Amino acid sequence: MQKTSKRLSILIFFMSCAILSGMAQTYIQYVDSADNYIKREKWSDAERMTIAALKTKPASKLNHLLWSNLGDIRTRMEDYDGALQAFEIALTSAPKKELILNNRAYTYLQMGETDKAFADINESLRLDSIQEWPLKMRGIINLGKARYTEAGRDFESLKKHFPTNASAYSGLGKIEAIKGNDKDAISMFEKSIELEQNEDTWFCLILVNIEAGNLPKAKEQLLVALKRYPRCGNLYLLRGVIHKKNFENDEADIDKKIALDYGAEPHLVEQYLPKIRK
């Protein structure tokens, strides 16, 4: 009887191990499936697999990462309330995890909640001051709020630690342009474009050259940019500005219309091409 009882206990132990092993395998399978769906941008399936994994092992110490992933997945689905709920749960388990703060900051930016995003980015950089995306975004936000000294520090740090990040140079270029340092601004914009093609950076480079009186260079650069971005309204705005400076008002008028048709920012159009003669 005693031997039978021992055998039964051993059997139950091995059965329990097998069940737990099966659960662990299922958990990993769910996580792997979610990852595959994320790579293929099948967000609904990724959400379903992530939730299944969380339900399989609700006490796993790694679940804060899954909750963060779930928040990111829901952001891609534009389910911002669901995303914020997921991030809140993740941060409850891991309040000092930069990844979660960065993911939530991205969600806030998608929602237009810049101040909340800035708070999360600030906290993330307090925990680790050398992070590429947070430095870039804090610099951009500071620049947008005319905090030029703070923005300059962020972009300088970004340039120092991530020297191939084009945004570091374009950000510094905008600050130099605001200060009226055209030569330095042009140098920074050219470096940024060398690293990464970007419509906005081309626009800034050409505009600074126009305002510095380098019209031949601006025209040359504009031809290159328009070949790359033939439907960029702001580039047609600059072509109109060049025509206007050359007293070619009819051509400038045509460019103004094209610029607006192609989505140029109306306030910029009126700023640079106001009341062109008919």
Side-chain angles (χ1 to χ4, degrees), residues 143 155 159 165-212 221:
L143 184 59
F155 290 129
K159 180 165 72 75
N165 189 297
S167 295
Y169 301 92
S170 61
L172 290 170
K174 289 174 182 176
I175 293 170
E176 293 300 332
I178 289 165
K179 291 178 179 177
N181 300 329
D182 295 335
K183 185 177 179 180
D184 291 336
I186 289 167
S187 175
M188 287 295 175
F189 289 137
E190 287 178 340
K191 178 63 177 178
S192 180
I193 288 170
E194 179 186 320
L195 290 167
E196 180 182 285
Q197 294 295 317
N198 181 279
E199 279 185 34
D200 178 65
T201 308
W202 272 109
F203 172 81
C204 292
L205 172 62
I206 298 165
L207 178 59
V208 172
N209 269 309
I210 291 171
E211 293 186 338
Q221 292 169 338

Side-chain angles (χ1 to χ4, degrees), residues 92-105:
T92 299
S93 301
K96 295 184 178 181
K97 198 72 176 178
E98 301 93 82
L99 173 66
I100 305 171
L101 290 164
N102 294 340
N103 283 347
R104 188 170 70 173

Side-chain angles (χ1 to χ4, degrees), residues 35-156:
D35 186 53
N36 285 328
Y37 283 129
I38 289 170
K39 289 175 182 175
R40 291 152 60 192
E41 298 185 4
K42 293 193 172 184
W43 306 118
S44 295
D45 292 324
E47 180 187 38
R48 178 168 52 83
M49 288 295 102
T50 304
I51 291 171
L54 289 166
K55 286 181 177 179
T56 301
K57 290 185 72 176
S60 171
K61 292 181 179 180
L62 297 177
N63 279 354
H64 64 278
L65 296 174
L66 288 188
W67 282 111
S68 182
N69 281 353
L70 183 60
D72 190 45
I73 290 164
R74 287 174 172 171
T75 299
R76 309 294 174 172
M77 298 168 68
E78 298 185 4
D79 175 13
Y80 299 126
D81 288 340
L84 293 178
Q85 289 173 3
F87 290 133
E88 192 65 34
I89 295 170
L91 286 167
T92 299
S93 301
K96 295 184 178 181
K97 198 72 176 178
E98 301 93 82
L99 173 66
I100 305 171
L101 290 164
N102 294 340
N103 283 347
R104 188 170 70 173
Y106 176 82
T107 299
Y108 279 135
L109 288 172
Q110 296 305 301
M111 297 170 66
E113 297 279 3
T114 306
D115 289 341
K116 290 180 180 179
F118 186 81
D120 275 351
I121 291 169
N122 247 349
E123 176 62 14
S124 177
L125 286 169
R126 187 187 68 79
L127 297 168
D128 178 1
S129 63
I130 304 173
Q131 296 183 76
E132 189 168 9
W133 184 82
L135 278 171
K136 169 187 169 181
M137 294 314 302
R138 191 170 71 178
I140 290 171
I141 292 170
N142 276 326
L143 184 59
K145 292 185 177 293
R147 297 192 289 252
Y148 302 128
T149 302
E150 294 88 339
R153 281 199 294 263
D154 288 329
F155 290 129
E156 285 289 356

